């Protein structure tokens, strides 16, 4: 293409790629533009977005039934059929361009693909399947492929009662939609309904019902496959066969992909599957839908747009002309052509249609859309009457139009009756929107739209009453006329118990909590029905719990076991510290056998958790050496930590080989001090003492303030040594104390500069803690006849530059036989800034 030609771009890809959003941004970035949508409701929806961005005076809406065209309009939202192609604009776009392959409407889209252009930029959005033919027919077009923003995954088969919330259930006839919607109402409390026959106003009201989460389910025809952007997480096909206007047939793979692609929006993944009586989808089909890879289109439908209006016969011949290019074929004979052919047989019509202007007028009358699709000659007669009136008087008779619209302005009747009136009034909305056919066209167009709005609102109310409203009168009648066993009662996946679509309580784990809002006799009958439903649900829950992975269970700090967020059992004291008993919480729905099955599963879970956290202790208990049997036995009874005691040196070495530390402050297994092991030991301690254990310190801490609800015995049992208001981890205290005693075995030493940080202490905490742990601070100088002077100048200079907590001191000590008592006497005052302070041996108070 030369630089002077307008840019033509095709943006292709599956659903949820942002194609339409991109086109809208490009449209509004230009000085003027037109965008064509496949559905009137999409044109209206995007018109509202354009108005919000550019103001109502600058935006127009043109569909078959509605025209809003301000004098200064520069941006147009249209249906594809209604695009004003004679208006020059900078930007032009057509959405869902793959509909060129639709045998009924495809010729319109193909004509736009071949001939509709913006002065500066043209954009076509659609599926990747059209790429080869688009490149052949428009070789100069740039093609951009956009990937889907989220993942689409096949979820298999699910019953209606098992479908997850935020699901769209797709059926392909009004009867199926009604039946499924009724079933969803009974089982899940209600749903919204979307069908192609609904007016945009009713459809939007139903969508709002779903979007605002008044209901969690949507039952729809394949109308949702085209541009319905909603928060759908899962699409469930109730069937994959439809009547396409000519014959029943299976859905094509791209059609399934288009519908399934409505699951997941933005970056949120979606799933699709089947439900009700729909058979499972084949592996090849599933793979194609998940990968968004379908066979490319082999042909596009075309109809001659260069029509010959010299006579009705010539017009028909030009409409039936053969496609001029490879890849283009004629589609199904459209309603307008069928109507023209039928009226051409009417001698009176044929006589009135002589001449080019009359033939053109007849063709325009034949293009009145047949929304009713009654398969009768009603539509042909209507088009003939319109032509006759216009031929006779150039305008349609006001009385005739008024009578037809008034006949439809009735809100009584059932859902089907209202939908039929809506399709009829849409025909009149199209007719009255023709300013060349009507006197005072705006007034009559508003009148037709007002009737449509009234019918739409009434239809929405009736849909609500049938598929959503709880209808207390209906419930009362059912309660009076039916035995409780006949009531419809189900349990939703979130635990809500529904009887006849009404929430009567919740089940958590195996406990049922009734809804307090139900009272009296109604509550009794409802609860009987709910218990009957739970009697059927409970075996499934028990089986699910029995077969659940260990990760599905949780030990709580109040000594209970949770499953799916609900408490189902409590731990109780047994004869063995490391093996608490398990008691299943009471439930009227669990018999003795079910309780024992659950208890066995939870016992296996608890044993696995104990092995995971305290495996070292359990292993030590298996076959300890004879000298250690007594210690190991007492360690198992205490959970892995004992008070320190004097032992023979050879026993200390034997214990070390066996993984047991015979320390100065405690006898313990180091593995039992890990955070997970400590939490489980605390829980077992609470079971053993019949009280909830205090919270444990955060993992990774070396020291922490001593909690007010911790005693020294509990602290030591949990692996902490109390040092006044602080507590320090046992293994750290043992290691530091052992190192210090080794270093000062002959004479005082300079305190290691990193000692405070190793114990997690601040500078002002180190000296008091060392005092409590069995050491005493003394001034540097002569001690025991020996002089400990300052270090060499280089060492002194280096240590003066270190942080305060690294200030070196001198130390001597005598090993205490037991841990020092909690801080009771004040530690000797020491000048922390004096690098020649010394630490001397401190005898225990009890031994002075």
């Amino acid at each position: 293409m030369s630089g002077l030609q307008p840019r033509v771009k095709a943006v292709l890809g599956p659903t949820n790629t942002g194609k339409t959003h991109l086109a809208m941004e490009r449209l509004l970035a230009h000085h003027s533009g037109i965008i064509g949508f496949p559905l009137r409701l999409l044109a209206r929806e995007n018109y509202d977005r354009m108005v919000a961005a550019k103001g109502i005076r600058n935006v127009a809406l043109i569909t078959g039934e509605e025209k809003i065209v301000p004098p200064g309009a520069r941006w147009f939202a249209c249906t594809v059929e209604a695009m004003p192609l004679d208006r020059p604009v900078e930007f032009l776009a057509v959405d869902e361009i793959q509909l060129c392959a639709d045998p009924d409407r495809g010729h319109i889209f193909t004509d736009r693909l071949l001939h509709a252009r913006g002065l500066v930029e043209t954009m076509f959005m659609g599926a990747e399947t059209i790429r080869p033919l688009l490149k052949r027919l428009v070789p100069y077009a740039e093609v951009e492929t956009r990937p889907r923003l989220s993942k689409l995954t096949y979820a298999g088969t699910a019953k209606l009662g098992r479908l997850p919330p935020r699901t769209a259930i797709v059926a392909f006839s009004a009867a199926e939609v009604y039946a499924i919607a009724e079933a969803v109402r009974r089982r899940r409390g209600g749903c919204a309904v979307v069908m192609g026959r609904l007016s945009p106003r009713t459809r939007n009201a139903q969508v709002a019902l779903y979007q605002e989460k008044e209901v969690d389910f949507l039952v729809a025809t394949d109308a949702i496959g085209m541009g319905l952007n909603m928060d759908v997480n899962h699409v469930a096909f109730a069937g994959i066969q439809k009547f396409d206007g000519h014959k029943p047939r299976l859905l094509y793979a791209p059609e399934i992909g288009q519908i399934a692609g409505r699951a997941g929006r933005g970056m949120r993944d979606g799933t699709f599957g089947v439900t009700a009586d729909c058979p499972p989808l084949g592996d090849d089909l599933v793979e194609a839908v998940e990968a968004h890879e379908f066979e490319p289109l082999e042909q596009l439908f075309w109809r001659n747009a260069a029509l010959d209006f010299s006579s009705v016969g010539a017009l028909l011949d030009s409409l039936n002309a053969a496609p001029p290019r490879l890849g283009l074929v004629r589609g199904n004979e459209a309603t307008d052509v069928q109507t023209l052919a039928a009226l051409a047989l009417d001698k009176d019509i044929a006589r009135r249609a002589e001449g080019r202007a009359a033939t053109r007028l007849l063709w325009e009358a034949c293009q009145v859309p047949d929304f009713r699709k009654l398969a009768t000659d009603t539509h042909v007669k209507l088009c003939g009457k319109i032509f006759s009136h216009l031929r006779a008087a150039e305008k349609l008779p006001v009385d005739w139009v008024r009578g037809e619209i008034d006949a439809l302005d009735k809100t009584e009747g059932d859902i089907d009756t209202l939908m039929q009136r809506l399709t009829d009034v849409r025909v009149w909305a199209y007719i009255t929107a023709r300013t060349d056919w009507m006197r005072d066209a705006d007034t009559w167009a508003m009148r037709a739209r007002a009737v449509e709005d009234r019918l739409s609102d009434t239809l929405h109310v009736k849909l609500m009453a049938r598929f959503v409203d709880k209808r207390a009168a209906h419930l009362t009648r059912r309660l009076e006329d039916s035995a409780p066993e006949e009531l419809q009662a189900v349990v939703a996946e979130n635990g809500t118990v529904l009887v006849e679509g009404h929430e009567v309580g919740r089940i958590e784990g195996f406990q049922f909590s009734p809804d307090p809002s139900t009272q009296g006799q109604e509550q009794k009958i409802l609860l009987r029905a709910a218990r009957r439903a739970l009697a059927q649900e409970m075996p499934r829950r028990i089986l699910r719990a029995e077969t659940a992975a260990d990760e599905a269970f949780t030990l709580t700090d109040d000594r209970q076991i949770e499953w799916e967020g609900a408490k189902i059992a409590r731990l109780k004291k047994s004869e063995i510290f490391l093996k608490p008993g398990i008691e299943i919480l009471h439930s009227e729905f669990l018999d003795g056998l079910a309780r024992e099955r659950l208890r066995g599963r939870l016992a296996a879970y608890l044993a696995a958790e104990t092995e995971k956290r305290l495996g070292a202790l359990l292993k030590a208990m298996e076959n300890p050496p004879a000298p250690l049997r007594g210690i190991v036995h007492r360690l198992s009874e205490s959970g892995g930590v004992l008070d320190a005691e004097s032992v023979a040196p050879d026993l200390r070495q034997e214990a070390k080989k066996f993984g047991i530390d015979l320390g100065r402050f405690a006898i313990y297994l180091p593995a039992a001090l890990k955070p997970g092991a400590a939490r489980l030991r605390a829980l077992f301690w609470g079971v053993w003492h019949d009280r909830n254990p205090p919270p444990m310190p955060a993992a990774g801490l070396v020291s922490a303030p001593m909690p007010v609800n911790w005693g020294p015995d509990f602290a030591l049992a949990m692996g902490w040594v109390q040092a006044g208001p602080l507590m320090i981890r046992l293994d750290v205290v043992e290691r530091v104390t052992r190192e210090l005693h080794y270093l000062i075995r002959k004479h005082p030493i300079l305190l290691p500069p990193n000692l405070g940080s190793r114990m997690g202490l601040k500078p002002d905490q180190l000296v008091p803690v060392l005092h409590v742990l069995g050491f005493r601070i003394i001034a540097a100088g002569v001690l025991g006849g020996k002089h400990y002077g300052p270090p060499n100048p280089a060492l002194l200079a280096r240590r003066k530059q270190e942080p305060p907590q690294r200030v070196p001191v001198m130390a001597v000590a005598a090993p205490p036989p037991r841990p020092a008592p909690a801080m009771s006497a004040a530690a000797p005052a020491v000048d922390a800034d004096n690098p020649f302070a010394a630490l001397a041996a401190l005898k225990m108070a009890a031994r002075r």
Side-chain angles (χ1 to χ4, degrees), residues 252-305:
Y252 302 127
E255 292 175 318
I256 292 177
Q258 183 82 12
I259 298 169
R262 294 301 156 192
R265 303 303 305 168
M267 303 303 294
R268 188 181 67 248
D269 294 338
T271 58
F272 68 101
V274 297
T275 189
D277 298 327
C278 185
L281 303 182
D283 292 342
D284 291 344
L285 177 58
V286 168
E287 185 177 345
V289 173
E290 289 182 336
H292 320 294
E293 294 180 355
F294 306 103
E295 293 294 326
L297 299 174
E298 297 180 353
Q299 57 189 23
L300 305 182
F301 292 101
W302 175 89
R303 189 173 78 181
N304 186 21

Side-chain angles (χ1 to χ4, degrees), residues 600-658:
R601 175 65 188 94
L602 296 180
Y605 156 70
L606 185 60
E609 190 71 10
T610 305
E611 175 67 31
K612 178 180 177 182
R613 304 297 183 187
L614 300 173
L617 181 57
L618 295 177
K619 185 176 180 181
M621 294 169 53
E622 292 177 358
N623 190 24
L628 293 177
R629 286 176 185 169
I631 290 176
V632 170
H633 177 70
R634 285 184 290 130
L635 279 173
S636 68
E637 289 183 333
S638 64
V641 181
L642 289 172
D643 285 346
E645 58 186 50
S646 298
V647 295
D650 57 340
L651 185 61
R652 189 177 301 277
Q653 293 299 321
E654 185 72 22
K656 184 176 182 181
K657 295 178 184 178
F658 205 66

Side-chain angles (χ1 to χ4, degrees), residues 479-689:
L479 291 173
E480 292 175 352
D481 298 342
S482 305
E485 292 76 12
E486 299 175 359
L487 296 175
Q488 294 289 336
V490 296
V491 180
E493 289 186 359
N494 64 0
T496 301
V497 181
L498 302 172
V499 177
E500 289 293 312
H502 292 257
E503 182 176 338
V504 297
R506 292 181 59 83
I507 184 169
E508 296 180 352
F510 306 103
Q511 305 286 329
F512 174 68
S513 302
D515 183 354
S517 65
T518 55
Q519 299 177 355
Q521 186 64 27
E522 179 183 350
Q523 184 186 57
K524 294 180 181 178
I525 297 176
L526 287 175
L527 291 181
R528 286 174 60 189
R531 290 189 179 107
R532 176 175 174 272
L534 293 174
Q536 300 173 1
E537 167 73 9
M538 206 57 67
R540 293 192 290 268
R541 284 184 167 246
I542 294 172
L543 180 60
R544 197 162 77 244
E546 283 186 284
T547 57
D550 286 347
E551 291 75 17
F553 303 103
T554 304
L555 287 168
T556 64
D557 292 336
D558 58 352
R559 298 170 284 153
Q560 302 199 56
I561 300 178
E562 283 187 353
W563 171 65
E564 294 186 348
K567 295 176 180 178
I568 60 173
R570 66 169 60 93
L571 303 182
K572 63 179 183 179
K573 184 176 181 180
S574 69
E575 295 180 356
I576 302 176
F577 180 90
L578 295 178
K579 295 183 179 179
I582 296 176
E583 179 184 352
I584 304 299
L585 299 182
H586 172 73
S587 170
E588 61 181 293
F589 303 102
L590 298 177
D591 57 22
L593 179 60
R595 288 176 178 276
E596 185 56 30
R597 286 162 52 194
L598 283 172
R599 194 206 64 76
R601 175 65 188 94
L602 296 180
Y605 156 70
L606 185 60
E609 190 71 10
T610 305
E611 175 67 31
K612 178 180 177 182
R613 304 297 183 187
L614 300 173
L617 181 57
L618 295 177
K619 185 176 180 181
M621 294 169 53
E622 292 177 358
N623 190 24
L628 293 177
R629 286 176 185 169
I631 290 176
V632 170
H633 177 70
R634 285 184 290 130
L635 279 173
S636 68
E637 289 183 333
S638 64
V641 181
L642 289 172
D643 285 346
E645 58 186 50
S646 298
V647 295
D650 57 340
L651 185 61
R652 189 177 301 277
Q653 293 299 321
E654 185 72 22
K656 184 176 182 181
K657 295 178 184 178
F658 205 66
I660 299 175
D661 193 331
L662 302 182
R664 298 173 182 273
F665 295 85
I667 299 174
Y668 68 100
L669 272 82
L673 304 186
K674 294 181 179 180
R679 181 180 179 275
L680 187 60
R681 291 191 304 107
L683 188 63
F684 288 173
W685 182 92
V687 174
W688 190 260
H689 293 87

Side-chain angles (χ1 to χ4, degrees), residues 715-726:
L716 187 64
M718 294 302 104
W720 295 83
V721 176
Q722 182 179 5
L726 299 176

